[in-house]
Amino acid sequence: MTQLPDTDAIHPAALDLGRRFADAGHELSLVGGPVRDLFLGRPALDLDFTTDATPDQTLAVVKGWADAVWEIGRDFGTIGMRRGDAQLEVTTYRAEAYDAGSRKPQVAFGDSLEDDLFRRDFTINAMALRLPGLELVDPHGGIKDLHAGELRTPGTPEDSFSDDPLRMMRAARFASQLDVEVAPEVRAAMTDMAGRIAIISAERVRDELVKLICGRRPRQGVDILVSTGIAAIVLPEVPALQLETDEHHRHKDVYQHSLTVLEQAAARESGPDGPVPGPDFALRFAALMHDVGKPATRRFEDSGAVSFRHHEVVGAKLTAKRMRALRFDNDTIRTVSRLVELHMRFYGYGDAGWTDSAVRRYVRDAGECLERLHRLTRADVTSRNKRKVARLAAAYDDLEQRIAELSAREELDAVRPELDGQQIMAVLGVPPGPVVGRAYKFLLDLRLDEGELGAEEAERRLRAWAADTQ
């Protein structure tokens, strides 16, 4: 017999709500992810319930009990609420399915807990605890699969993925989050039905991708998307990294390299009080996408070498284009694409050395991404040559030390000319327009090249520049 979780692990609001529904003559069960997480010893932050009560009946039960109620999911049978620090969602027993060409589910309410569990995505999520008595309902062997670390569907995977194709991405996401293996028959169905993912909205795909990338084993999740053909539809730039290796093995496997960089970048995230608290989607996604410009820029040189000139610039554009297609917000797009664009900037530092001006530009160009860029650049070293790895690490240590020393003397993260736009217009006697912009850039370059000059010297240089450019 399966050992039930300690009632102390169940939020008191869940037990209290169960008693209220029972007193009103209705069934209520904690269901899905929260039940799974209880058996995994993970905190269940959002509590999901299912019931035989209609949305109107649910509202009547929680009236005066919930601190806040929202009905945004009412058409799908869901009533959301807050009680103290707990977020709760109560959904009427239901069944839902997709038409072949539809992005939206057709919802029909059901009349039993067992039928409701059968429609759920995976067996580990098709478990329930009847409340308030805490009776475990597990008709599809979810506990067994949870212990085995295997992801299976309650019915056939073909029926499950036909009902909601997004479940194929959820399989990869759970592989990343929960460190479980996708059962062979589930993986086979994903491969056969990969094309069905195209009917799912970009926003839903994006949300699953973010959860996958932020999971414990993102490499495993990404590899499942690629091997089943789903990535070819939702993130085609990644499988395109599987370049054919030439017979002389003159370049490394770019795809496997990118997965390794993803792993290493995640390992370099800081704790919650550090500069890059993990999991950090922007850092991880930039690590995955940093080389997506290589397929388009690969050239075989006469010398026998393989080059990828300006792949970081091409990659940044491809990354931004894909993220726009997936409906990411502009700030996240700018951050990730900027990291991709800058990930090669460091190389050559150890050989040629940088002037203070170059260091200032590195910091200025990175801006708020600097701490992420530090981690991405270090994660991008995957060579088996220990001497090369040590040399690059020492060079980057030196660069970070120089940044720290310059920052102690100057506010590098906010480098600006000594004169602002209003002062430039006053000195030159010009109105707002292109001349002011060019003058500002001249003074900024001067500031980066020579450090602090002082307002008087900056004004003198500005007048000289204006005289030379007339």
Side-chain angles (χ1 to χ4, degrees):
M1 180 175 178
T2 299
Q3 179 68 41
L4 294 179
D6 190 337
T7 55
D8 290 341
I10 300 174
H11 198 287
L15 300 173
D16 192 18
L17 187 62
R19 286 188 287 268
R20 291 184 68 88
F21 270 78
D23 291 344
H26 296 298
E27 298 176 359
L28 184 75
S29 298
L30 188 65
V31 70
V35 178
R36 176 200 70 217
D37 289 344
L38 281 171
F39 284 100
L40 289 174
R42 291 159 42 111
L45 303 178
D46 297 322
L47 302 174
D48 296 328
F49 303 85
T50 189
T51 181
D52 62 346
T54 66
D56 284 340
Q57 290 170 328
T58 294
L59 287 170
V61 171
V62 303
K63 184 177 182 181
W65 178 84
D67 297 326
V69 174
W70 48 94
E71 302 180 41
I72 191 170
R74 186 186 182 118
D75 290 345
F76 297 94
T78 300
I79 302 297
M81 64 199 74
R82 178 175 55 82
R83 169 78 171 184
D85 63 348
Q87 299 268 39
L88 309 96
E89 285 193 350
V90 179
T91 302
T92 304
Y93 296 150
R94 68 187 188 189
E96 62 186 35
Y98 278 73
D99 284 335
S102 173
R103 291 173 181 257
K104 297 181 179 180
Q106 297 175 324
V107 176
F109 295 148
D111 55 14
S112 77
L113 174 60
E114 287 72 16
D115 288 346
D116 183 89
L117 295 177
F118 182 74
R119 74 165 184 83
R120 293 181 179 266
D121 53 5
F122 302 104
T123 60
I124 62 173
N125 296 329
M127 300 182 288
L129 283 177
R130 291 189 186 272
L131 300 174
L134 296 180
E135 174 195 349
L136 177 65
V137 182
D138 181 20
H140 307 291
I143 290 293
K144 176 176 174 288
D145 290 338
L146 198 60
H147 287 315
E150 190 169 43
L151 204 63
R152 295 172 46 250
T153 53
T156 68
E158 290 80 7
D159 286 343
S160 181
F161 298 153
S162 181
D163 285 347
D164 185 354
L166 189 66
R167 290 173 174 174
M168 295 186 289
M169 285 201 67
R170 285 169 64 85
R173 187 247 288 187
F174 285 128
S176 171
Q177 286 184 325
L178 304 178
D179 195 10
V180 296
E181 298 294 330
V182 177
E185 70 274 13
V186 175
R187 187 185 285 263
M190 292 169 66
T191 304
D192 292 342
M193 302 177 67
R196 286 276 287 155
I197 201 68
I199 74 168
I200 301 299
S201 70
E203 292 82 359
R204 295 184 74 207
V205 169
R206 174 202 64 208
D207 291 348
E208 286 298 326
L209 181 62
V210 170
K211 292 173 183 176
L212 184 159
I213 295 296
C214 291
R216 291 161 52 191
R217 294 184 62 187
R219 179 179 191 144
Q220 177 172 319
V222 171
D223 204 37
I224 290 171
L225 291 183
V226 171
S227 64
T228 57
I230 294 171
I233 299 168
V234 302
L235 199 62
E237 295 79 9
V238 173
L241 293 171
Q242 296 174 305
L243 300 173
E244 294 182 5
T245 304
D246 61 281
E247 60 179 342
H248 301 294
H249 300 283
R250 288 172 291 188
H251 64 88
K252 67 179 71 175
D253 184 323
V254 182
Y255 172 64
Q256 293 298 331
H257 163 74
S258 298
L259 293 183
T260 300
V261 175
L262 169 59
E263 281 185 319
Q264 295 186 165
R268 290 184 175 276
E269 292 167 339
S270 66
D273 297 325
V276 185
D280 187 272
F281 172 78
L283 171 62
R284 294 183 181 203
F285 197 57
L288 177 64
M289 302 291 282
H290 77 286
D291 275 346
V292 295
K294 281 191 170 180
T297 58
R298 182 171 66 159
R299 298 289 183 273
F300 293 99
E301 306 294 345
D302 293 340
S303 64
V306 179
S307 68
F308 303 95
R309 290 191 180 91
H310 306 303
H311 75 271
E312 67 277 16
V313 177
V314 174
K317 293 178 180 178
L318 289 173
T319 298
K321 182 178 179 181
R322 178 55 49 197
M323 294 182 74
R324 283 193 294 269
L326 290 172
R327 305 291 192 269
F328 278 92
D329 64 275
N330 290 334
D331 286 344
T332 304
I333 294 173
R334 278 194 293 269
T335 297
V336 175
S337 59
R338 191 64 168 154
L339 286 168
V340 172
E341 182 181 4
L342 292 175
H343 82 272
M344 291 294 293
R345 180 73 68 88
F346 159 74
Y347 290 94
Y349 173 84
D351 297 328
W354 282 1
T355 62
D356 285 352
S357 170
V359 174
R360 292 189 191 99
R361 289 176 186 276
Y362 188 75
V363 174
R364 193 275 308 267
D365 290 348
E368 295 180 353
C369 298
L370 182 62
E371 289 292 344
R372 289 186 176 108
L373 183 59
H374 287 335
R375 286 156 175 77
L376 175 59
T377 303
R378 290 182 181 275
D380 194 23
V381 179
T382 62
S383 173
R384 295 181 181 178
N385 185 326
K386 294 182 179 180
R387 184 173 298 178
K388 179 180 179 181
V389 171
R391 176 174 57 81
L392 290 172
Y396 208 87
D397 287 343
D398 183 67
L399 174 58
E400 287 201 63
Q401 179 62 32
R402 288 187 62 192
I403 290 172
E405 291 171 354
L406 279 172
S407 295
R409 301 197 303 266
E410 313 169 11
E411 295 183 7
L412 283 187
D413 56 348
V415 171
R416 290 178 174 82
E418 276 85 356
L419 305 180
D420 61 21
Q422 292 294 331
Q423 292 169 312
I424 290 171
M425 288 187 285
V427 169
L428 299 183
V430 297
V435 172
V436 179
R438 290 195 295 272
Y440 187 91
K441 183 179 184 303
F442 164 75
L443 289 174
L444 178 59
D445 288 341
L446 202 62
R447 173 73 174 79
L448 291 169
D449 289 339
E450 300 185 29
E452 296 182 4
L453 299 172
E456 184 177 337
E457 177 64 11
E459 182 176 332
R460 187 186 71 78
R461 297 282 194 98
L462 177 61
R463 292 184 186 278
W465 170 85
D468 290 341
T469 56
Q470 286 181 350

